[in-house]
Amino acid sequence: MTRAFLALVRRDLALALGNGGGAGLGVVFFLAVVVVTPFAIGPDLNLLARIGPAILWIGALLASLIGLDRLFAADAEDGSLDLMFMSELPVELAAAAKGLAHWLATGLPLVVAAPVLSLLLNLEPAAIGALCLTLLVGTPAVTFLGLVGAAFAAAFRRGGLLVAVLVMPLTIPVLIFGVAATGAAIGGTVPFGAPFRILAGLSLGALVLGPVAAAAALRATRE
């Protein structure tokens, strides 16, 4: 079962990187959000430093959704989803493997790119470190919550908008506590540990519940 899980992770990771829809597209979108925002706000460096964590988190959240609509839809089109249901690997673990591969291809590169993009927003080293830590902990929650929307999108030809409608409300708490933890690290009124622990709890909950809910949605759409 472990071998099947790792094989599915490698297969989805190779597909995501090979089709050009994984790390590259997500990072380019992330870069576009960070570069365009200062033009809209103006040259006030203090203002950019103050709202920079929120800008970066919003960009990372939106970039993490890229490709989710095709996560199960592509398998449904080529018949791989039927094989997934017939394999020895439970559907919940298969959904978890696909979520892990998506995060490695899309979410992890955002964490790596965040320190460089933070310099464009005049963030201090303490803020950059806190931002990278919160993104590392929080972006898996976005991906695994997105599994639910991706599972429903597999039943429709054009499910991209459906994924955004279903997933965005679920990710609001992740965004709130991710930005709050980063702000606390640079002199906020709340200690860093409180929102960061809540963010970690949200990610752990998403890691457990996301694949289960996605598997239930896949079974419901197949009936």
Side-chain angles (χ1 to χ4, degrees), residues 155-194:
F156 302 93
R157 285 183 177 273
R158 298 178 180 177
L161 182 60
L162 179 63
V163 172
V165 170
L166 290 176
V167 175
M168 287 298 292
L170 300 177
T171 58
I172 295 301
V174 179
L175 176 65
I176 291 173
F177 289 105
V179 176
T182 307
I186 55 177
T189 58
V190 180
F192 173 77

Side-chain angles (χ1 to χ4, degrees), residues 4 13 25 40-42 54 56 61-62 80 87 90 92 101-102 106 113 132 140 142 156 169 174 185 190 193 214 216:
L13 189 58
L25 186 58
I41 294 174
L56 289 161
L61 188 152
L62 296 176
S80 299
S87 70
E92 290 80 4
H102 182 272
T106 304
C132 293
V142 178
F156 302 93
V174 179
V190 180

Side-chain angles (χ1 to χ4, degrees), residues 51 55 58 74-75 81 103-104 120 126 162 190 197 205 208 215:
I51 67 173
I55 295 171
I58 291 172
D75 291 333
L81 191 60
W103 181 78
L104 290 174
L120 300 176
L162 179 63
V190 180
R197 283 193 292 268
V208 175

